[in-house]
Amino acid sequence: MSSETREDLIAEVSRKFGISPEDYMLPARHMINLLNPDGSLRSHEEQGTEPGHEYPLPSPAELIRAYEALVVGRRVNDQNSALVRQGRMAVYPSSHGQEACQVAAALCLQDGDWLFPTYRDSVAVMTKGVAPMEVMTSFRGEWHCGYDTKQYKVAPMATPLTTQLLHAVGVAHAAKLRGENTVVVAMCGDGATSEGDFHEALNFAAVFHLPVIFFVQNNKYAISVPLSSQSAAPSLAHKAVGYGMAGERVDGNDLIALMAIMGRAVRLAREGGGPLLIEAHTYRMQAHTNADDDKRYREDAEVAEWVAKDPVKRMESYLADSGLLGDEVSERISAHAEQVAKTLRDGMNQEADTDPAELFNHVYSQPTAQLKEQAALLADELAREEA
Amino acid sequence: MTATASAVNGNVSAETAQAAAAKAAANQPVTFGKALNTALADALTADESVVIFGEDVGVLGGVFRITDGLTARFGNTRCFDTPLAESGIVGMAVGMAMNDMRPVIEMQFDAFAYPAFEQIASHVAKMRNRTRGRLPLPMVIRIPYAGGVGGVEHHCDSSEAYYAHTPGLKVFTPSTVSDAYLMLREAIDSPDPVVFFEPKKLYWSKDQVDLEELAEQYESQRAAKAEGKARIARPGTDATLVTYGPSVSVALEAAKIAAEEGRNLEVIDIRTIVPFDDETVSASVRKTGRAVVIGEAQGFVSVASEITARIQERCFHSLAAPVLRVTGFDIPFPAPTLEKHHLPSAERILDAVDQLQWEA
Ligand SMILES: Cc1ncc(C[n+]2csc(CCOP(=O)(O)OP(=O)(O)O)c2C)c(N)n1
Ligand SMILES: [Mg+2]
């Protein structure tokens, strides 16, 4: 595809919104934010929207569905952190504080669409439909990936930073070549945007004009390193224009704004508008993982400031104040969250019991002669141990 | 008598003349590069999930012309150029393979595959295992490799050990024109990812090969194909030379000289470094009792080292002498005017053979 046709495609999308291609690609002047931290709706002028960057409220039914996933997500995060403290789980990178991002990334997709998560995105993976115990297989040290990626259209949670963004590009490219209408959401963190594969993935997606939404959760830190040490860009969303795609930034603790933005992004991508880059401003309220000590690099006061912007409380207040969340619904949602937490507790309290013979089974389609020898050696060792 | 001449003479029907002309064309020597090119074209025809991409592989046909004509014939959705980014090429191929395609990608030169190493080692090699077999990645990474063409720095590396050391990857390297065709077809059809090393000094080598016949043979024997089998390139009785890729021709040259001097050397072409055919190698060394392992790569922690260790472990009681290695020196690949000192030569191989304790 020549660069001229690509420019034409971007021009076509921007014309729909009555703005120039540059104004379409550049993020709105202000971060999109529909709800105040106390859950009250911001006035239209305060929302950060502007011509070509309009974000109407999602329907009440969508909001309730998302709120339910939010509550379940928070419960799962806290349950898993407890399981780690009790030694039932090896490690858990919690997304406590980022659950609105997690939920929006998954709920904007349809069944045939793909999600590419990182180690931090367990809640998004669950929200896309993967059974909780299958999501946590890796964190309990049982096997690297516990779910059927193709069945759920969820890639394995990626650890090597931003490598998965290129896989997302490939999945979208294959779908496009076959004429399928698949949209892909590819997730990464703020620190990860410094990696080379971030650049290569955005460039490939733009050059091949693919329906990929790059969704960056800017939680302000990469382990201990603040964003100011990663990037001198005006915002991470501004990076989009350098690739010839649209960027937008959003309050990542505002589930309503996230749903509006991700919903529009998926629609645009599905209509052939090409890739988009969304930066969500959020905060990792707990340590990087249980192995990290966040007191070494940030102040309690800073964390407290973000606790006041909590995405779950904010959404709950909005729904309650606008009469959408009655006691009955609220109780049903709490019960659902408790039941998921129980599933995890019960599952984690059983010993993982993988047959060591399986170690050799998935290296190649057929074990090589050498692997068969090694499998026999291990089997012999185990037999002697048992005898 | 040529087909044309016989037709003009009216000795044969026009049909027979056509068949004869085709036969004559088929008997033209074929280059290694053309065999690869034909294998790619045949794979594109046979399987619509095959896609080819890389740097300059489209209109140009690749810097070595291995993808010549494929974009014109199959269209730019089947064979296309990408931006210059090797990690991007491999990473995108991973995603395409995840979504039911069979990418065949080209790294322009050996050393330019290094930016993609993370994708290859962490994902191409591990995805099947990570997902307990649910997400296989059938894909081929073609890498022109090794020296002997007077190439400048970064264009002559023998990087096969990095990949062979990585569980989950298969590593193929053909040394003959017919293997160039057959092994590339096998690699593309393999359910496992294959790093396909093409000895660039062989691109222009020729052999009398009928590619159509080879294609038919491949299609009809698909089920029974012998992936992972080493080849006895030259049978012999006195010692075994074990090698692969660019060094096979050098080993054969050494064996020829040795024969003139009364020593009958067996030459084994490994063909696939992974999976490794211990059986064929061991059987040969047990028979001859002596072995030299040859590889162009630097010898320290090399494929040649691994083969040597495997022979010692398996054939110790049949050995009349220690197994020796002839490899490149442990130096960065030298500048063009100096490469001849670095590359294993027939003389160096014969010197090693001389050291195999012949005096009874
Ligand atoms: C290529 C690579 N380098 C380093 C690491 C180690 N590492 C794991 S998470 C992390 C920080 C990532 O920060 P960010 O992208 O902001 O995501 P967050 O953890 O904040 O969600 C690092 C350095 C890694 N996983 N991959
Ligand atoms: Mg971060």
Side-chain angles (χ1 to χ4, degrees), chain A residues 1 114 116 137 142-150 155-164 166-175 177-178 180 182 195 197 200-201 203-204 207-208 210 354 358-359 361-366 368-370 373, chain B residues 51 53 76-78 80-101 115 118-119 122-123 125 127-136 166-170 190-193 274-278 310 314:
Chain A
M1 196 182 286
W114 276 79
F116 280 77
T137 303
E142 184 183 345
W143 199 272
H144 305 305
C145 175
Y147 47 90
D148 187 330
T149 52
K150 283 196 146 174
M157 287 183 274
T159 304
L161 300 170
T162 67
T163 53
Q164 78 283 6
L166 282 162
H167 309 164
V169 167
V171 163
H173 202 160
L177 290 178
R178 285 196 297 264
E180 295 163 0
T182 307
E195 292 280 357
D197 278 3
E200 297 191 20
N203 191 43
F204 272 52
V207 167
F208 293 111
L210 301 171
T354 312
E358 200 181 337
L359 288 171
N361 289 355
H362 314 299
V363 185
Y364 299 98
S365 51
Q366 301 287 330
T368 59
Q370 292 77 14
E373 279 174 22
Chain B
V51 279
F53 51 93
N76 66 2
T77 58
R78 301 294 305 282
F80 55 87
D81 291 326
T82 65
L84 285 177
E86 293 75 14
S87 188
I89 294 167
V90 175
M92 182 164 81
V94 168
M96 292 176 96
M98 285 171 79
N99 202 0
D100 300 326
M101 308 216 68
E118 183 185 24
Q119 285 289 346
S122 293
H123 294 299
M127 195 65 86
R128 175 190 284 275
N129 184 69
R130 174 179 302 135
T131 59
R132 280 179 141 151
R134 291 184 183 119
L135 201 53
T166 306
L169 302 176
K170 287 184 172 168
S190 170
D192 298 304
V274 184
F276 186 76
D277 183 358
D278 277 308
R310 303 186 80 81
R314 276 150 215 267

Side-chain angles (χ1 to χ4, degrees), chain B residues 8-336:
Chain B
V8 168
N9 290 346
N11 292 342
V12 286
S13 72
E15 254 168 60
T16 322
Q18 248 175 14
K23 187 114 191 100
N27 282 334
Q28 289 297 308
V30 175
T31 64
F32 192 92
K34 181 63 188 169
L36 293 170
N37 176 264
T38 309
L40 292 173
D42 289 357
L44 284 166
T45 306
D47 182 350
E48 63 181 24
S49 68
V50 172
V51 279
I52 293 171
F53 51 93
E55 296 164 4
D56 298 294
V57 301
V59 176
L60 183 68
V63 292
F64 291 107
R65 306 291 182 268
I66 304 304
T67 56
D68 187 31
L70 298 180
T71 299
R73 183 168 156 202
F74 295 94
N76 66 2
T77 58
R78 301 294 305 282
C79 178
F80 55 87
D81 291 326
T82 65
L84 285 177
E86 293 75 14
S87 188
I89 294 167
V90 175
M92 182 164 81
V94 168
M96 292 176 96
M98 285 171 79
N99 202 0
D100 300 326
M101 308 216 68
R102 281 178 186 263
V104 181
I105 56 181
E106 178 173 301
M107 298 284 105
Q108 202 155 60
F109 285 89
D110 32 64
F112 305 136
Y114 300 145
F117 196 73
E118 183 185 24
Q119 285 289 346
I120 298 175
S122 293
H123 294 299
V124 177
K126 292 179 180 167
M127 195 65 86
R128 175 190 284 275
N129 184 69
R130 174 179 302 135
T131 59
R132 280 179 141 151
R134 291 184 183 119
L135 201 53
L137 290 183
M139 57 186 277
V140 178
I141 303 171
R142 294 182 37 243
I143 306 182
Y145 84 122
V149 293
V152 293
E153 199 190 3
H154 311 297
H155 293 73
C156 299
D157 283 11
S158 285
S159 47
E160 64 273 20
Y162 304 129
Y163 305 93
H165 191 63
T166 306
L169 302 176
K170 287 184 172 168
V171 181
F172 290 13
T173 179
S175 76
T176 66
V177 174
S178 59
D179 262 354
Y181 180 87
L182 291 171
M183 289 174 65
L184 185 50
R185 292 293 311 269
E186 271 178 22
I188 296 171
D189 283 340
S190 170
D192 298 304
V194 177
V195 184
F196 194 85
F197 277 101
E198 301 169 4
K200 63 177 87 69
K201 77 169 189 191
L202 296 183
Y203 277 142
W204 303 275
S205 68
K206 286 185 185 168
D207 198 2
Q208 206 79 25
V209 165
D210 183 340
L211 287 176
E212 267 178 45
E213 210 170 273
L214 219 50
E216 275 165 35
Q217 180 195 324
Y218 178 77
E219 300 285 350
S220 63
Q221 294 174 2
R222 214 181 257 243
K225 68 183 187 254
E227 181 200 279
K229 274 279 171 218
R231 176 179 72 96
I232 298 176
R234 181 190 193 283
T237 50
D238 298 342
T240 305
L241 305 182
V242 186
T243 189
Y244 56 89
S247 300
V248 173
S249 57
V250 188
L252 286 170
E253 189 192 331
K256 200 171 152 206
I257 300 170
E260 286 158 15
E261 294 167 356
R263 258 187 208 140
N264 188 4
L265 304 184
E266 181 145 298
V267 177
I268 295 191
D269 174 5
I270 289 305
R271 297 174 75 246
T272 66
I273 298 170
V274 184
F276 186 76
D277 183 358
D278 277 308
E279 229 172 275
T280 302
V281 173
S282 301
S284 172
V285 177
R286 285 195 194 111
K287 180 182 73 178
T288 62
R290 290 178 168 84
V292 176
V293 183
I294 304 139
E296 196 177 303
Q298 56 278 22
F300 192 75
V301 201
S302 62
V303 171
S305 301
E306 175 63 24
I307 297 175
T308 303
R310 303 186 80 81
I311 295 174
Q312 311 270 26
E313 281 175 356
R314 276 150 215 267
C315 309
F316 183 76
H317 294 291
S318 312
L319 286 171
V323 181
L324 297 182
R325 283 172 295 164
V326 177
T327 66
F329 297 126
D330 295 322
I331 56 172
F333 198 89

Side-chain angles (χ1 to χ4, degrees), chain A residues 258-273:
Chain A
L258 279 160
M259 287 176 66
I261 286 204
M262 292 302 279
R264 186 180 91 143
V266 169
R267 245 183 343 270
L268 287 174
R270 205 182 303 282
E271 285 165 8

Side-chain angles (χ1 to χ4, degrees), chain A residues 31-315:
Chain A
M31 176 172 87
I32 307 299
N33 180 194
L34 307 186
L35 283 188
N36 286 309
D38 66 4
S40 59
L41 195 62
R42 292 167 86 99
S43 71
H44 192 70
E45 296 71 51
E46 291 171 327
Q47 291 182 355
T49 56
E50 56 188 62
H53 300 257
E54 316 273 9
Y55 297 100
L57 287 186
S59 74
E62 284 175 282
L63 295 182
I64 290 291
R65 177 171 170 239
Y67 174 68
E68 178 161 2
L70 188 70
V71 171
V72 172
R74 171 61 56 86
R75 186 69 189 90
V76 165
N77 273 332
D78 295 348
Q79 178 62 74
N80 284 346
S81 296
L83 285 164
V84 168
R85 284 193 299 274
Q86 295 154 15
R88 303 303 310 173
M89 228 165 137
V91 64
Y92 184 65
S94 176
S95 63
H96 184 114
Q98 303 176 215
E99 291 93 343
C101 296
Q102 297 285 306
V103 164
L107 288 184
C108 64
L109 295 172
Q110 296 177 4
D111 277 351
D113 296 338
W114 276 79
L115 181 71
F116 280 77
T118 74
Y119 51 88
R120 182 143 344 263
D121 303 320
S122 300
V123 170
V125 174
M126 267 183 43
T127 308
K128 181 100 168 45
V130 182
M133 277 304 289
E134 290 181 15
V135 183
M136 307 312 163
T137 303
S138 58
F139 298 130
R140 77 189 295 223
E142 184 183 345
W143 199 272
H144 305 305
C145 175
Y147 47 90
D148 187 330
T149 52
K150 283 196 146 174
Q151 179 197 333
Y152 296 109
K153 302 262 193 288
V154 180
M157 287 183 274
T159 304
L161 300 170
T162 67
T163 53
Q164 78 283 6
L165 304 184
L166 282 162
H167 309 164
V169 167
V171 163
H173 202 160
K176 183 177 172 173
L177 290 178
R178 285 196 297 264
E180 295 163 0
N181 214 356
T182 307
V183 172
V184 181
V185 165
M187 306 174 75
C188 74
D190 51 308
T193 62
S194 304
E195 292 280 357
D197 278 3
F198 176 82
H199 158 71
E200 297 191 20
L202 268 70
N203 191 43
F204 272 52
V207 167
F208 293 111
H209 202 72
L210 301 171
V212 183
I213 294 147
F214 297 97
F215 183 59
V216 180
Q217 291 171 86
N218 175 359
N219 64 7
K220 309 296 178 287
Y221 291 92
I223 309 184
S224 65
V225 180
L227 182 59
S228 56
S229 305
Q230 297 286 351
S231 173
S235 83
L236 296 176
H238 277 82
K239 294 192 174 204
V241 68
Y243 298 101
M245 71 172 78
E248 198 74 281
R249 53 196 151 159
V250 55
D251 183 328
N253 288 9
D254 175 351
L255 182 54
I256 298 190
L258 279 160
M259 287 176 66
I261 286 204
M262 292 302 279
R264 186 180 91 143
V266 169
R267 245 183 343 270
L268 287 174
R270 205 182 303 282
E271 285 165 8
L276 296 103
L277 171 63
I278 311 292
E279 175 190 10
H281 280 265
T282 182
Y283 195 74
R284 194 193 74 216
M285 290 193 197
Q286 297 179 347
H288 174 71
T289 66
N290 46 297
D292 175 39
D293 175 11
D294 62 333
K295 302 234 179 310
R296 293 177 72 103
Y297 54 83
R298 64 184 186 186
E299 302 289 332
D300 289 347
E302 183 185 291
V303 181
E305 217 177 280
W306 279 91
V307 170
K309 302 182 197 170
D310 188 86
V312 186
K313 278 201 213 92
R314 186 186 306 202
M315 190 66 178

